[in-house]
Amino acid sequence: MPSRHERRRLLVEGAVQGVGFRPFIYRLAAEIGIQGWVSNSAQGVLIEAEGPRARLDTFLAQIEVQKPPHSSIQRIVVETIPSTGISREVAFEIRTSCTAGNRTTIILPDLATCLDCLREIFDPTDRRYRYPFTNCTHCGPRYSIIEALPYDRPNTTMHAFVMCVQCRTEYENPLDRRFHAQPNACPNCGPQLSLWDATGREAAARNDALLVAAEAIRSGAVVALKGLGGFQLLANACDPDAVRRLRERKQRPDKPFAVMAPTIDQAKTICEISEEEEKLLVSSEAPIVLLPRRGHNLLCAEIAPDNPNIGVMLPYTPLHHLLMAELSFPIVATSGNLSGEPICSDEHEALTRLNGIADVFLVHNRPIARPVDDSVARVMAGSECILRRARGYAPLPVELSDALPVMIATGAHLKNTVAVSVGKQVFVSQHIGDLENPEAVSTFQHALKDLQGLYEQPPELVACDLHPDYRSTQLAQELAEQFGKPLIRVQHHYAHVLACMAEHQLAAPVLGVAWDGTGYGTDGTIWGGEFLSIGEASFARCVHLRPFRLPGGEQAIHEPRRAALGLLFELYGENLPDVPQLGFSPSELNILKWALVKKINAPLTSSMGRLFDAVSALIGLRQRASFEGQAAMDLEFACDGINTDRCYPIEMANVTTIEAPRGRMIDWSPVIEGILADLANGVNAGEIAATFHNSLLEMIICVATQQQIEQVVLSGGCFQNRRLLEGSIRRLQNAGFRPFWSQKIPSNDGGIALGQIAAAALTFRPLSMICGGKDVPGSSR
Ligand SMILES: [Zn+2]
Ligand SMILES: [Zn+2]
Ligand SMILES: [Zn+2]
């Protein structure tokens, strides 16, 4: 007996738009022999399917099994509805999008060029031969071109380009790879390249523009390239003069430049690449991957001075592939901005903002809806850890355990990102940058409006950092007033730990180890070496690093030697030992000592980042830093290849030695005394650096043992240090604890916005319902 006919409505939620989901459903329905239709909606993909019950069951099961490669299904909501009479529906059809209802669908990130498209652009017989804007449903721009939801061509920056007959035929054929590929284009109807001189005058067009740009790079020029999510500055990575020129013009003296290698094989001649790292390089996310460089390689030393690692990426758009095929040597590919500013994404703006930096501009006429930088990742403890989350990852959401009212979080001050929660999803924006200039603040405001605008829902709450002077805090205040909603101020390190808990769906109790450079504490001092005990509704600062003063305040970030002086002063008072390696002149030393004695412009800090700085300065690695974390990186790199179990003594100090808050402290003084003794005995810097790292691991074990909390979260910028992170994980596991660390969301301040959302959500739900105790099997790998 044939099974009974039924009609079902399916709502597929998740990352299901712009990945060929509807043609997949169309083909599957035809294959199984059911009628109905499929359409994009503001919540995902909507399907009505009618046919024998058994076939409908097969259909439903096969959706999960066969779904397109870049899609991800969060859930399928199924309801049985009255039959509409299948005789009127001769087959299955793809309908135009319905735009009604709350917007919850997931926007896909931009995807690197697929192999099929790559073949076409290098095939002289193909109509897309050498066409730099080739894409299909498996690859190409998404987030960087979407202006509104649902994801359909009129809602993208491609709306101005009218498809030619051939492109239109592909676009409308459900069996074609380009069926409803929204940015579909060809040389006849799509965007085109143009080469501009520094004044914006066109010097060449189309393929010639590409060839002239390649020649410019070859001859040592700096080329500004309008890429996928914004401008990149390109220069020959093997030419020291070209790289030096770029450094001078960009005002970036030492910070490493990322490099694009033409092929994975060439990348392997530059760096040591593990299997895991190779997978990441060739993935459709195609991030910059931090890799250990080989001893002798093509790159000039100016790429990453004093740094054993190189950030490497592979070409990820047809434009990059075509350019790299012309060059066949590695190039610098760094964000198109002046240091500290956000990435530039408009060609006319670029002429002004990159004026004096770029010699020529390789641009195109496909508008970029929002700036999306290249992402940066590092493989640590055997898995991918995102350090800068943008292209390829943003704005994929982190899913919480329970649906929550709409909330907005404005993040921190450095490496800012913003977040918006809609239902169970928390959408974390792409990396915005440091909110230290008007351009960054305007990008920040744009990103907030943008995320909110895509989902078109006003917030019930606004969350921000506790720091009263952060620009992000002030802007959050304005937003809260504008919406007439409460403002929740979240302590910085609490947000660090909650971000990691949200990522791993980890319930309390948790011991949070939050180590970073700077964060405003509940007592108004600068925190950064924190052990937080996380409970259901709040946190306690159970242990922290013994505080010390930073003479000159902010200036200490640029001069690690000032942190060293602050430590020595705390230890020895005015009669501190002679430390010529810090390089202070007698008058500088007098002024700084005076500031410390008088406690004027010498704020207290318990910052682990500053302890790293101090040690780096003491052992003579770095006295002045040109970017945040530079001295700490030196210290990490100094340990390379050194295996030692040696450790300076660790003491829990229960005393209040200065006007620090009462409570338990980890005392660094035996560590510093040990280092000074080692220095006096001529122990080399590498050995001291490794011993210092071991001492930090000991600190973590010491506090974890004292607190007896099984789940330990390692968060904050310090854990971008591979030796520290991997060592902590190993030691904690060996001692029977379960360590967790940030992977999908950066452990640095790029993760703060997510943590702020989780903290603000406590207004509505207990923590267990926000980060609800999902057991994470990957935690003990
Ligand atoms: Zn493709
Ligand atoms: Zn066309
Ligand atoms: Zn931080």
Side-chain angles (χ1 to χ4, degrees), residues 412 492-493 496 515-519 716-717 747-749 752:
H492 187 90
H493 303 94
H496 267 308
W515 285 1
D516 65 0
T518 304
S747 64
N748 58 45
D749 286 3
I752 289 290

CSV table of all heavy atoms in Angstrom, one decimal, residues 412 492-493 496 515-519 716-717 747-749 752, ligand 3:
chain,number,residue,atom,x,y,z
A,412,ALA,N,36.1,46.6,23.4
A,412,ALA,CA,37.2,47.2,24.2
A,412,ALA,C,37.7,48.4,23.4
A,412,ALA,O,37.0,49.0,22.5
A,412,ALA,CB,38.3,46.2,24.5
A,492,HIS,N,36.6,44.1,32.3
A,492,HIS,CA,37.4,43.7,31.1
A,492,HIS,C,37.8,42.2,31.2
A,492,HIS,O,37.6,41.4,30.2
A,492,HIS,CB,38.6,44.6,31.0
A,492,HIS,CG,39.4,44.4,29.8
A,492,HIS,ND1,39.2,45.1,28.6
A,492,HIS,CD2,40.5,43.5,29.5
A,492,HIS,CE1,40.1,44.7,27.7
A,492,HIS,NE2,40.8,43.8,28.2
A,493,HIS,N,38.3,41.8,32.3
A,493,HIS,CA,38.9,40.4,32.4
A,493,HIS,C,37.8,39.4,32.6
A,493,HIS,O,37.9,38.2,32.2
A,493,HIS,CB,39.9,40.3,33.5
A,493,HIS,CG,41.1,41.3,33.2
A,493,HIS,ND1,41.1,42.5,33.8
A,493,HIS,CD2,42.1,41.2,32.3
A,493,HIS,CE1,42.1,43.2,33.3
A,493,HIS,NE2,42.8,42.4,32.4
A,496,HIS,N,36.8,38.7,29.2
A,496,HIS,CA,37.7,37.8,28.5
A,496,HIS,C,37.3,36.4,28.8
A,496,HIS,O,37.3,35.5,27.9
A,496,HIS,CB,39.1,38.0,29.0
A,496,HIS,CG,39.9,39.0,28.2
A,496,HIS,ND1,40.1,38.9,26.9
A,496,HIS,CD2,40.7,40.1,28.5
A,496,HIS,CE1,40.8,39.8,26.4
A,496,HIS,NE2,41.2,40.6,27.4
A,515,TRP,N,45.0,37.0,31.5
A,515,TRP,CA,46.2,37.7,31.5
A,515,TRP,C,46.4,38.5,30.2
A,515,TRP,O,46.3,38.0,29.1
A,515,TRP,CB,47.4,36.6,31.5
A,515,TRP,CG,47.6,36.0,32.9
A,515,TRP,CD1,46.9,36.2,34.0
A,515,TRP,CD2,48.6,35.0,33.2
A,515,TRP,NE1,47.4,35.4,35.0
A,515,TRP,CE2,48.4,34.7,34.6
A,515,TRP,CE3,49.6,34.4,32.5
A,515,TRP,CZ2,49.2,33.7,35.2
A,515,TRP,CZ3,50.4,33.4,33.1
A,515,TRP,CH2,50.2,33.1,34.5
A,516,ASP,N,46.5,39.8,30.4
A,516,ASP,CA,46.7,40.7,29.3
A,516,ASP,C,47.5,41.9,29.6
A,516,ASP,O,48.1,42.0,30.7
A,516,ASP,CB,45.3,41.1,28.6
A,516,ASP,CG,44.5,41.9,29.6
A,516,ASP,OD1,44.9,42.2,30.7
A,516,ASP,OD2,43.4,42.3,29.2
A,517,GLY,N,47.4,43.0,28.8
A,517,GLY,CA,48.2,44.2,29.0
A,517,GLY,C,47.5,45.1,30.0
A,517,GLY,O,48.1,45.6,31.0
A,518,THR,N,46.3,45.4,29.7
A,518,THR,CA,45.6,46.5,30.4
A,518,THR,C,44.1,46.2,30.4
A,518,THR,O,43.5,45.9,29.4
A,518,THR,CB,45.7,47.8,29.7
A,518,THR,OG1,47.1,48.1,29.5
A,518,THR,CG2,45.1,48.9,30.4
A,519,GLY,N,43.5,46.4,31.6
A,519,GLY,CA,42.0,46.4,31.7
A,519,GLY,C,41.6,47.1,33.0
A,519,GLY,O,42.3,46.9,34.0
A,716,GLY,N,42.8,36.1,27.4
A,716,GLY,CA,43.6,37.4,27.4
A,716,GLY,C,44.7,37.3,26.4
A,716,GLY,O,45.2,36.2,26.1
A,717,GLY,N,45.2,38.5,26.0
A,717,GLY,CA,46.2,38.6,25.0
A,717,GLY,C,47.5,37.8,25.2
A,717,GLY,O,48.1,37.3,24.3
A,747,SER,N,41.6,35.4,21.7
A,747,SER,CA,41.8,35.5,23.2
A,747,SER,C,42.2,37.0,23.5
A,747,SER,O,42.1,37.4,24.7
A,747,SER,CB,42.9,34.6,23.6
A,747,SER,OG,44.1,34.9,23.0
A,748,ASN,N,42.6,37.8,22.5
A,748,ASN,CA,42.9,39.2,22.8
A,748,ASN,C,41.6,40.0,22.9
A,748,ASN,O,40.5,39.4,22.9
A,748,ASN,CB,43.9,39.7,21.7
A,748,ASN,CG,43.3,39.6,20.3
A,748,ASN,OD1,42.1,39.9,20.1
A,748,ASN,ND2,44.0,39.1,19.4
A,749,ASP,N,41.7,41.3,22.8
A,749,ASP,CA,40.5,42.2,23.1
A,749,ASP,C,39.5,42.1,21.9
A,749,ASP,O,38.4,42.6,22.1
A,749,ASP,CB,41.0,43.6,23.3
A,749,ASP,CG,41.6,43.8,24.7
A,749,ASP,OD1,41.7,42.8,25.4
A,749,ASP,OD2,41.9,44.9,25.1
A,752,ILE,N,36.4,40.6,23.5
A,752,ILE,CA,35.7,41.3,24.6
A,752,ILE,C,34.2,41.5,24.3
A,752,ILE,O,33.4,41.3,25.2
A,752,ILE,CB,36.4,42.6,24.9
A,752,ILE,CG1,37.8,42.3,25.5
A,752,ILE,CG2,35.6,43.5,25.8
A,752,ILE,CD1,37.7,41.8,26.9
B,3,ZN,ZN,42.3,42.5,27.4
